[in-house]
Structures are given as structure tokens and as C-alpha cells.
Amino acid sequence: MEPDFDPRFISVNREGDRLLILPCVKCWGTNRTTDRYFVSLSGSEATAEHIGESILSTFSFIEHAGSLELSLEEQESCWRHDTKYKTYRSFARNNDFLQVSVEKGKPYFVCAYPPRTSDLVGDEVWKGTVPAGASAEELGDAVLDAYAAIDEWKK
């Protein structure tokens, strides 16, 4: 099933050495983050190749899922996997956030954002593109570069 929306988005959250990768799916006419499919990588699993493969498989989930009906509880609690935080506000303040987006046949865009102090995302700390058809490792390298930029921005 080909979804009727572009671009497609993925949320990547970093807490220490753990990455939580979540898809954004169309729900009631807008993009919503869901945990019906998610990838959690930590430690030695978080290599460029594994990160890229996880992002590609998450985009594949979006393509095959199409539009979903998500309950309010599901929309509000999708971030709770492998984290010690009890509220979204605390999770958002203590996780580094980036977004990967793509339109069919176009390059991937990777945008890193400063730490969130509210529910609104500010200006990008780092933006990069990865050519369409790039390897999983190239996509993973862009994610690691984005997190390096966030680390540098925090200094």
C-alpha cells in the first residue's frame, strides 16, 4: 500500500548511548509519532550501519502502514520505550532530537535540533542531506554527524 502523503518523517531521540527511532504516520490528516514500530539501539549496536538499516526499515514500515488510527493514549505515550522518564516534558528536555525526512525519489534530509525546553522545536543546529539510494551506512553516518553537531552546540 503506497501512502498518500509526502514527505515521510522519522523521529530519532538520543538519551546517553541509546537511540529510540520512531516513525511518524498519517493519522486523522496529520503526521503523528507512533510506537507500533520502533527501534531501540544502544551501546555497540549503535553503529552507522545499524542506525541506517533501522531508519530504512522504519521508512519501510511507514510505506506499508499507510494511514493509521491512533488512540490518544498511543499518541501521547509512544516515547516511553527504554527510558527512565515518567513525563514527556522530562523526556524531551533530556533527549537529543533529530528528524529524518524523505520524499519518494528525493534525498534524505537529516535535521538536528537543540535540546527542547518546551513542546516546541526551535531552529536546527545541523542540517544535512543524503542522496536518494544511499547506503544504510551513509544514512547512519549523517545521523552520527548530526548528533556530533548537537554535542558541539551544547559546549
Side-chain angles (χ1 to χ4, degrees):
M1 170 191 255
E2 185 69 27
D4 60 350
F5 62 99
D6 268 329
R8 296 172 184 106
F9 297 95
I10 291 177
S11 166
V12 185
N13 295 277
R14 179 181 69 172
E15 176 186 346
D17 72 343
R18 191 249 330 133
L19 295 178
L20 178 62
I21 301 170
L22 297 163
C24 297
V25 296
K26 189 167 187 179
C27 172
W28 302 105
T30 189
N31 284 320
R32 302 260 189 226
T33 306
T34 180
D35 64 350
R36 289 191 186 179
Y37 180 89
F38 71 94
V39 178
S40 181
L41 300 172
S42 59
S44 63
E45 295 178 314
T47 64
E49 187 171 358
H50 282 126
I51 294 167
E53 288 170 353
S54 299
I55 288 171
L56 292 174
S57 66
T58 304
F59 277 123
S60 180
F61 168 80
I62 294 170
E63 287 179 29
H64 292 93
S67 186
L68 298 175
E69 290 187 26
L70 306 175
S71 69
L72 185 57
E73 180 183 344
E74 186 177 356
Q75 292 175 45
E76 292 177 350
S77 64
C78 63
W79 55 271
R80 293 181 189 243
H81 296 281
D82 296 333
T83 187
K84 63 184 176 186
Y85 300 104
K86 303 220 183 304
T87 67
Y88 177 76
R89 185 173 300 275
S90 180
F91 172 82
R93 261 188 312 222
N94 292 288
N95 276 255
D96 298 322
F97 173 71
L98 64 87
Q99 188 175 63
V100 182
S101 63
V102 68
E103 290 184 57
K104 193 169 187 97
K106 295 188 178 178
Y108 296 92
F109 291 97
V110 180
C111 296
Y113 296 95
R116 297 168 281 184
T117 56
S118 69
D119 291 335
L120 301 175
V121 175
D123 293 329
E124 296 94 352
V125 170
W126 186 89
K127 277 198 259 191
T129 59
V130 179
S135 71
E137 189 169 1
E138 289 173 295
L139 194 51
D141 282 335
V143 168
L144 293 175
D145 290 345
Y147 280 123
I150 290 175
D151 292 341
E152 187 63 31
W153 183 86
K154 286 180 178 179
K155 288 182 182 181

